[in-house]
Amino acid sequence: MKVLSTYLCLLALLISFSSKAQVNLDSLWGVWNDKTQSDTNRLKAMKSIACKGYLFSQPDSAFYFGQMQYEFAVSVNNKKFMAEALNIQGISFAIISNYEKALEYYSESLEIYKELGDKKGMGGSFNNIGVIYENQGNYEKALEYHLKGLAIEKELGDKNGLATSHNNIGVIYKQKGNYELALEYYSKGLAIYKNLDDKKGMGSSLNNIGIIYKNQGNYEKALEYQSKSLSLKEELDDKKGMLNSYNNFGNIYRHQGNYEKALEYYSKSLAICKELGDKKGMVASYRASGIIYEFQGNYKKALEYQKKCLTLEEEMGNKKGIGVSYINIGLIYEVQGYYEKALEYFLKSLAIFQELDLKREIAVALGNIGVIYHNQSNYEKALEYYFKISEIYKETDDKITIGLFYNNIGMVYGDQGNYEKALEYLLKSKNIKQEINTI
């Protein structure tokens, strides 16, 4: 019996740097090493080296070059570039899911921007901090910081910033299961991007709207919006955007049960990732394909793909990703009835998520451990783990997952023969599902 869904969603950071900007590193190093250049030019060169040369491909190197920028900025008393260096270092930690360190560097950067009265910098810091809280499952704090960023962007008339903030807020409402509000904010972001004729932003917003329709089960509308998004990305030759769209098409077809079509799109995405050397993208494609193979009962192939994900995550030093891979590997063992092996992987994932203090992911690991005990008819242990989850979700207000675990609790009580309690929790789960579909 498989009660829990695989945890797939690794949220992308909505930040202002391009992940694959074309950059001439030799030229930039020439500026940096030329001491006859102005301090500002040298600092700009090092910022570009860190951001455009390494940030998304080698975040540890980006951190190192950010430190070089910071130290030089300190030596010439340029606080703006000090703040920007700290922000780069924060992003480098966020990329590998070290959210506590990311918060530390973002907060230091924010304090300098406040000291300088740099409102644009403050707005960017508020948004980056909001994304971190969102990834930690602390939606109220995330919303608080994104609204602070939004207020500054309104004051400055920063339309690009406004569009980004609307999308970020939409993501939070999506995570909370409030799809109507998510659509409202995504649509506001889309309108701003249209006004700016920002086709890349339009593609991103259309993509987000398509995901909402997919989550609501409106696959026709989901495909319509993903098709519009993909057309813009193809027009721009935005390969990163295209691979993301291919994965989203795959997800829609997977939810429709059209596994061959889903695999076709995941393969298209994987091909671009390999071309770009995009390890994070490769992980997303392998992970999604592995789940298809699991659904098809091809457990050998599923395990092969999930272990490829694990290897890539380990190469990148992405602890959160390693934990997610452990979950997915455990699920393959669990569906085959290898409960002890599954439990081993779920416990590994739990240790990582607890180290990183990722509340949503801790809850997913606890839930999967509860499923193992349920499958082994150890009902008391199953309930113990399920009820641990309820304490976590009092903080996150994630209605979707709360409803899932109420369903699991109801099933345990049913298996125990406690039909009154079973009905109580199954009705709670049903009511939450109806609420999500109507709000």
Side-chain angles (χ1 to χ4, degrees), residues 81-145:
F81 277 96
M82 288 166 58
E84 289 178 353
L86 291 165
N87 188 57
I88 291 166
Q89 292 178 305
I91 293 168
S92 72
F93 279 118
I95 287 169
I96 62 170
S97 305
N98 189 335
Y99 298 135
E100 291 306 315
K101 293 296 285 186
L103 275 177
E104 177 186 326
Y105 280 88
Y106 286 154
S107 298
E108 287 185 39
S109 178
L110 175 60
E111 288 308 309
I112 296 175
Y113 283 131
K114 285 180 177 178
E115 181 185 340
L116 294 172
D118 183 340
K119 291 193 174 179
K120 188 173 178 66
M122 289 165 60
S125 294
F126 285 139
N127 280 325
N128 282 342
I129 291 170
V131 171
I132 295 300
Y133 281 124
E134 175 213 325
N135 282 344
Q136 289 181 317
N138 191 338
Y139 299 134
E140 296 311 312
K141 289 290 281 186
L143 197 57
E144 174 191 336
Y145 275 87

Side-chain angles (χ1 to χ4, degrees), residues 26 28 41 67-68 74 116 173 207 244 253 356:
D26 288 339
L28 291 169
N41 282 345
Q67 187 63 29
M68 288 176 65
V74 169
L116 294 172
Y173 284 119
N207 172 78
N244 185 43
Y253 287 120
L356 297 175

Side-chain angles (χ1 to χ4, degrees), residues 167-183:
N167 274 324
N168 286 344
I169 293 168
V171 169
I172 295 168
Y173 284 119
K174 175 180 75 76
Q175 292 300 111
K176 293 177 73 171
N178 191 332
Y179 295 140
E180 292 306 313
L181 271 178
L183 276 175

Side-chain angles (χ1 to χ4, degrees), residues 43-92:
L43 285 164
K44 283 180 180 178
M46 183 51 65
K47 177 183 173 182
S48 291
I49 290 167
C51 293
K52 298 177 182 178
Y54 294 95
L55 186 55
F56 289 89
S57 58
Q58 299 176 49
D60 54 341
S61 296
F63 178 88
Y64 174 79
F65 295 128
Q67 187 63 29
M68 288 176 65
Q69 177 186 326
Y70 179 79
E71 289 173 1
F72 185 61
V74 169
S75 72
V76 297
N77 196 32
N78 190 318
K79 292 192 174 181
K80 181 176 176 62
F81 277 96
M82 288 166 58
E84 289 178 353
L86 291 165
N87 188 57
I88 291 166
Q89 292 178 305
I91 293 168
S92 72

